Amino acid sequence: MVETELLKADMEGIERAAKFLQNGGLVGIPTETVYGLAANALDGKAVAKIFAAKGRPMDNPLIVHISDFSQIYHLVATVPESAKKLAKAFWPGPLTMILPKADCIPDEVSAGLPTVAIRFPSHPAAQQLITAAGLPLAAPSANLSGKPSPTTAEHVMHDLSGKIEAVIDGGPCKVGVESTVITLASNPPRLLRPGGITLEQLRSVLGEVEMDDAVLHPLKEGVRASSPGMKYKHYSPKANVIILDGNDEQYRNYVNSHIAPGVMALCYDEDCAGLKSPYLCYGAETDMSQMAHHLFDALREVDLLDAKTVYARCPAPKGVGLAVYNRLMRAAGFEVLHL
């Protein structure tokens, strides 16, 4: 048990956090996507502490964060033209690229795979911390494994206080869902996890990009996760989340006919007036970015409200909506009722 310090995102806080990281400690850090739990990516023992703090399975690879594109050359075996094109278009930003790893990457980071995931975050505090520490930082989301990802420093403190050295408070995360993950270690490149950079945007830069089957479906039995976020159940509150697949009227009618203690709706803003049960709205039907921004906050709030069952509306799996669809499917353990 350690006393977790809540640090400001100023130079004093950044430098203190950098010292913790240089000494093998763990720090919760803000990024534009969600808060990450960072350790020195080149120190296998430090990285192993991430798995222990989160209760995360060791077969789930981590993402390495950098603060300048030139740093990628020390972490991967080769940098193809496709990586340079994507970096020019989307870095710094919510995009992770998977490439063959360099020898310096410990197995704890790559989960024993021959590849490593690299990201250049756009949040200034994350960039300043990486630079101040002088280290690439391995960082999954800073939550207990399987639970909704944290989008505020308070979320991180709630989940991990007493288990990590510090959290930097950089304010609420802008995007709200984890980064898009694309593997460039296959031909053609393949989308493994959707996020704020859409499949359409990736294709506009690279041309052909496949979408992995595990984006929309459970990871097949015996298949290893080659990216974070591919596990069967993830991002889940304590409440049982059930996705309702139907139009506006069908959704509202179903929820209104299943009112009971502990039942809540997770709905679009447009649904609120027509619902008779308790509800949480997570965005307008036409604003996928707003839904992404609010989703994890809403999934955490249903537990604070002691909900037992949550009937969720889910957007069409296109654009940023594909990321919201992907997260909700995993939060629900792929439990869908077709109305």
Side-chain angles (χ1 to χ4, degrees):
M1 191 82 169
V2 298
E3 185 177 343
T4 302
E5 298 182 22
L6 185 61
L7 304 173
K8 292 181 179 178
D10 56 16
M11 282 319 298
E12 183 180 350
I14 296 289
E15 287 171 6
R16 182 151 180 78
K19 287 283 192 297
F20 283 130
L21 293 165
Q22 290 165 347
N23 292 325
L26 304 182
V27 176
I29 66 169
T31 78
E32 72 279 19
T33 57
V34 299
Y35 273 71
L37 180 56
N40 176 2
L42 305 180
D43 180 349
K45 289 182 180 178
V47 172
K49 295 177 185 177
I50 292 176
F51 293 91
K54 283 174 59 72
R56 180 185 175 100
M58 293 289 287
D59 64 349
N60 206 358
L62 306 181
I63 294 171
V64 176
H65 295 66
I66 59 176
S67 58
D68 187 87
F69 180 76
S70 63
Q71 294 165 6
I72 196 174
Y73 291 96
H74 305 291
L75 304 171
V76 304
T78 56
V79 181
E81 281 303 311
S82 55
K84 295 174 186 176
K85 289 179 181 178
L86 288 174
K88 184 177 181 181
F90 304 119
W91 274 5
L95 177 69
T96 295
M97 293 187 261
I98 293 180
L99 293 159
K101 70 173 186 175
D103 292 341
C104 65
I105 299 294
D107 283 345
E108 288 87 351
V109 171
S110 63
L113 296 168
T115 53
V116 64
I118 308 286
R119 184 162 104 77
F120 181 178
S122 64
H123 197 292
Q127 293 181 8
Q128 291 162 12
L129 178 60
I130 296 164
T131 300
L135 299 166
L137 299 181
S141 55
N143 56 298
L144 293 174
S145 187
K147 298 301 180 185
S149 297
T151 56
T152 66
E154 290 76 17
H155 292 163
V156 183
M157 291 294 286
H158 177 271
D159 281 15
L160 298 176
S161 182
K163 297 182 177 183
I164 65 178
E165 277 70 21
V167 180
I168 296 175
D169 188 351
C173 298
K174 182 179 177 183
V175 178
V177 293
E178 297 86 351
S179 61
T180 301
V181 179
I182 183 172
T183 178
L184 302 178
S186 65
N187 189 19
R190 198 163 74 254
L191 175 69
L192 301 182
R193 182 178 73 184
I197 303 301
T198 67
L199 180 60
E200 294 79 8
Q201 287 175 295
L202 295 173
R203 286 172 172 164
S204 73
V205 173
L206 296 184
E208 186 180 4
V209 177
E210 292 181 345
M211 183 167 69
D212 196 278
D213 183 67
V215 169
L216 297 177
H217 305 100
L219 194 65
K220 288 187 171 66
E221 188 88 24
V223 175
R224 292 186 69 182
S226 50
S227 160
M230 294 180 76
K231 294 287 187 177
Y232 174 77
K233 194 163 185 181
H234 215 44
Y235 320 113
S236 302
K238 294 176 187 173
N240 182 37
V241 178
I242 300 169
I243 294 172
L244 301 185
D245 179 21
N247 61 32
D248 299 0
E249 184 179 2
Q250 289 170 330
Y251 175 81
R252 291 193 285 264
N253 286 344
Y254 186 92
V255 173
N256 288 338
S257 64
H258 288 77
I259 294 172
V263 171
M264 290 194 73
L266 179 61
C267 62
Y268 300 152
D269 294 349
E270 295 84 351
D271 295 318
C272 300
L275 290 172
K276 298 173 184 175
S277 73
Y279 59 80
L280 283 172
C281 301
Y282 74 110
E285 183 172 5
T286 56
D287 192 340
M288 304 297 184
S289 294
Q290 184 186 35
M291 286 187 211
H293 181 74
H294 292 300
L295 177 63
F296 288 140
D297 284 355
L299 289 174
R300 282 180 172 264
E301 193 170 347
V302 298
D303 280 345
L304 294 177
L305 295 171
D306 205 26
K308 300 295 185 288
T309 300
V310 177
Y311 292 120
R313 288 209 70 175
C314 199
K318 59 184 179 181
V320 177
L322 179 62
V324 181
Y325 181 92
N326 170 272
R327 302 314 191 271
L328 267 176
M329 277 291 184
R330 279 166 168 75
F334 292 86
E335 187 174 355
V336 183
L337 290 180
H338 300 281
L339 306 179

